[in-house]
Amino acid sequence: MATTTPVHPVDEVPPVRQLAAFGLQHVLAMYAGAVAVPLIVGGAMKLSATDLAYLITADLLVCGIATLIQCIGFWRFGVRLPIMQGCTFAAVSPMVLIGTTGGGLPAIYGSVIVAGLAIVLLAPVFGKLLRFFPPLVTGTVILVIGISLLPVAGNWVAGGAGAEDFGEPKNIALAAFVLAVVLGVQRFAPVFLSRIAVLIGIVVGLAVAVPFGITDFGGVGDADWVGISTPFHFGAPTFEASAIISMLVVALVTMTETTGDFIAVGEMTGRKVEPRSLSDGLRADGLSTVLGGIFNTFPYTAYAQNVGLVGMTRVRSRWVVAAAGGILVLLGLLPKLGAVVAAIPAPVLGGAGLVMFGTVAASGLRTLAQVDFKGNNNLTVVAVSVAMGVLPVGVPTIYEKFPDWFQTVMNSGISAGCLTAIVLNLLFNHLPAKAGSTASAGSAGSTGSASEADGLPVGGGEQPVEKPREEIV
């Protein structure tokens, strides 16, 4: 009898009904973050309401296309994992600076196109660096990603940064109610419903918010039914050296962040990221960024919000996130639908975000559970890396006296924590140990051959203190 090869959960195609529900859940999880970048940049440049609406619809359209490329893939483009794409916040400050100092949107888009091409060219190089991401580094990075996202959820819970009623008890009560609904559904509802607990929590929260006047659908009536983003709507791109240099720094930061997100999703779905698939995913990021520069939007990266949703729901199919990409394309072509989604109050998203972002941090702890912390310096690597990652999150102005390129790298808690973890892992676990140290005695043999009096393995030496990531199942 013929036997059929089992399909990996990442490649399973759920029924249409489930695809739509799971996909919409992913869209709601990332929508606020997706539209925030064009709102911030356009607001800083004092664009008209019409131009702001155009930026948002263009962003949603390219978000959807970028997500489809990443999840479905073609040739050597796309990691083919459940990865949601969106505008990176790492580019906000440089783009605001470029746009407000005379270059305008054409200079922004010129630098974005060049950065996208650079990412495509550098993708194979980053793919070869995967061996420097053992569980010690990846677990630390995933933990930092989750912790870095929690203040975002906190701002949503309080009503959204800059809101007039920020911190009002009604906002926090609504977020707590949504959180309770999500947890209740996940614990007591049937399996299918528990997997869309976030979607149910958002819908129920929205239903409660309407009679209390916490939401406003006024923007729905003003939105157009159909909107098409045309290439170079704001004029032909210009290529200014200073703008390009700053955006190339952003490209390196986003590649580092995206690598962490890919590895996190690979851990959650049981399909570990290999050097080739990492290169393919980063190459898709570069292509999407080029499309962003052409279609009047900004650089793209993997969205960590949705990484948490994958871990929480345990729905591992990439076709679910591809369906979310299709929904984003529709929202980009039908602005009135986008306005309906935009009317969801920030506290509703905050209640769901606490669960999702906390799940990312918990996944990092689960990865770190594979690491041996006895008799070596691994605890120091984690401690300092998490501290460096949390520093710009807790004190956002700490690096404001530093050069712009330094702020671009270090103001992102994710890139700061990731770079610190990589450097410290190399320092403590790959460089030769000090001459005469007990660790050097075991460097010629296996890591476990050298031991202290209590029998604990000693770190250091040329051998890493843990298996390379490729050997971990």
Side-chain angles (χ1 to χ4, degrees), residues 284-362:
D285 257 17
L287 174 60
S288 301
T289 298
V290 172
L291 291 177
I294 294 173
F295 286 96
N296 320 294
T297 180
F298 307 114
Y300 285 86
T301 187
Y303 257 30
Q305 293 95 310
N306 299 84
V307 174
L309 191 56
V310 171
M312 176 189 164
T313 62
R314 298 185 292 279
V315 177
R316 297 180 279 177
S317 172
R318 60 191 172 105
W319 296 101
V320 164
V321 181
I327 294 172
L328 283 173
V329 170
L330 281 178
L331 293 176
L333 296 174
L334 303 173
K336 199 170 284 290
L337 284 180
V340 173
V341 177
I344 297 174
V348 172
L349 297 174
L354 288 175
V355 185
M356 294 186 299
F357 303 162
T359 300
V360 177

Side-chain angles (χ1 to χ4, degrees), residues 199-223:
L199 176 60
I200 293 173
I202 291 174
V203 170
V204 173
L206 181 60
V208 171
V210 171
F212 284 96
I214 304 179
T215 188
D216 179 16
F217 288 99
V220 177
D222 299 333

Side-chain angles (χ1 to χ4, degrees), residues 99-121:
T100 56
T101 54
L105 286 172
I108 291 177
Y109 294 140
S111 63
V112 167
I113 291 171
V114 173
L117 293 173
I119 292 173
V120 172
L121 295 175

Side-chain angles (χ1 to χ4, degrees), residues 397-408 410-411:
T397 58
I398 188 169
Y399 299 123
E400 66 178 6
K401 303 296 184 183
F402 285 73
D404 290 338
W405 67 266
F406 187 90
Q407 291 186 49
T408 300
M410 298 303 291
N411 273 343

Side-chain angles (χ1 to χ4, degrees), residues 94-443:
M95 289 191 300
V96 168
L97 189 63
I98 295 167
T100 56
T101 54
L105 286 172
I108 291 177
Y109 294 140
S111 63
V112 167
I113 291 171
V114 173
L117 293 173
I119 292 173
V120 172
L121 295 175
L122 290 174
V125 177
F126 256 72
K128 294 176 181 177
L129 298 178
L130 193 61
R131 64 193 183 93
F132 297 113
F133 287 84
L136 173 64
V137 173
T138 59
T140 303
V141 171
I142 297 169
L143 176 60
V144 170
I145 290 173
I147 294 174
S148 298
L149 287 171
L150 286 173
V152 176
N155 279 321
W156 288 349
V157 167
E164 292 181 2
D165 60 348
F166 188 86
E168 288 284 344
K170 65 177 183 179
N171 291 335
I172 298 172
L174 178 58
F177 171 73
V178 172
L179 175 60
V181 171
V182 171
L183 296 177
V185 171
Q186 192 171 15
R187 173 63 181 86
F188 299 107
V191 174
F192 170 69
L193 291 179
S194 69
R195 289 179 174 175
I196 56 170
V198 169
L199 176 60
I200 293 173
I202 291 174
V203 170
V204 173
L206 181 60
V208 171
V210 171
F212 284 96
I214 304 179
T215 188
D216 179 16
F217 288 99
V220 177
D222 299 333
D224 296 327
W225 280 104
V226 178
I228 305 280
S229 180
T230 55
F232 307 125
H233 174 79
F234 295 98
T238 59
F239 301 93
E240 300 181 6
S242 59
I244 290 172
I245 291 171
S246 63
M247 205 55 67
L248 288 175
V249 175
V250 170
L252 293 175
V253 173
T254 57
M255 291 177 79
T256 305
E257 292 180 349
T258 299
T259 299
D261 290 332
F262 285 169
I263 293 172
V265 172
E267 298 279 356
M268 293 175 180
T269 58
R271 175 176 282 179
K272 68 178 183 178
V273 176
E274 304 288 351
R276 175 171 174 145
S277 57
L278 174 59
S279 299
D280 293 349
L282 292 174
R283 201 175 282 114
D285 257 17
L287 174 60
S288 301
T289 298
V290 172
L291 291 177
I294 294 173
F295 286 96
N296 320 294
T297 180
F298 307 114
Y300 285 86
T301 187
Y303 257 30
Q305 293 95 310
N306 299 84
V307 174
L309 191 56
V310 171
M312 176 189 164
T313 62
R314 298 185 292 279
V315 177
R316 297 180 279 177
S317 172
R318 60 191 172 105
W319 296 101
V320 164
V321 181
I327 294 172
L328 283 173
V329 170
L330 281 178
L331 293 176
L333 296 174
L334 303 173
K336 199 170 284 290
L337 284 180
V340 173
V341 177
I344 297 174
V348 172
L349 297 174
L354 288 175
V355 185
M356 294 186 299
F357 303 162
T359 300
V360 177
S363 299
L365 293 176
R366 182 175 62 187
T367 302
L368 287 173
Q370 305 173 22
V371 179
D372 179 16
F373 288 101
K374 297 178 180 178
N376 53 49
N377 296 298
N378 287 343
L379 197 63
T380 301
V381 174
V382 175
V384 177
S385 302
V386 170
M388 292 299 295
V390 173
L391 202 57
V393 176
V395 189
T397 58
I398 188 169
Y399 299 123
E400 66 178 6
K401 303 296 184 183
F402 285 73
D404 290 338
W405 67 266
F406 187 90
Q407 291 186 49
T408 300
V409 176
M410 298 303 291
N411 273 343
S412 166
I414 298 172
S415 62
C418 184
L419 292 173
T420 304
I422 293 172
V423 171
L424 292 184
N425 179 55
L426 291 174
L427 175 66
F428 285 112
N429 296 329
H430 290 271
L431 294 181
K434 294 182 295 185
S437 70
T438 55
S440 63
S443 61

Side-chain angles (χ1 to χ4, degrees), residues 74-99:
F74 67 92
W75 189 50
R76 295 298 303 277
F77 292 86
V79 72
R80 295 168 176 84
L81 285 172
I83 292 288
M84 201 82 181
Q85 297 285 104
C87 283
T88 174
F89 283 87
V92 168
S93 296
M95 289 191 300
V96 168
L97 189 63
I98 295 167

Side-chain angles (χ1 to χ4, degrees), residues 372 374-376 447-452 454-459:
D372 179 16
K374 297 178 180 178
N376 53 49
T447 308
S449 61
S451 60
E452 295 176 337
D454 58 1
L456 296 178
V458 178

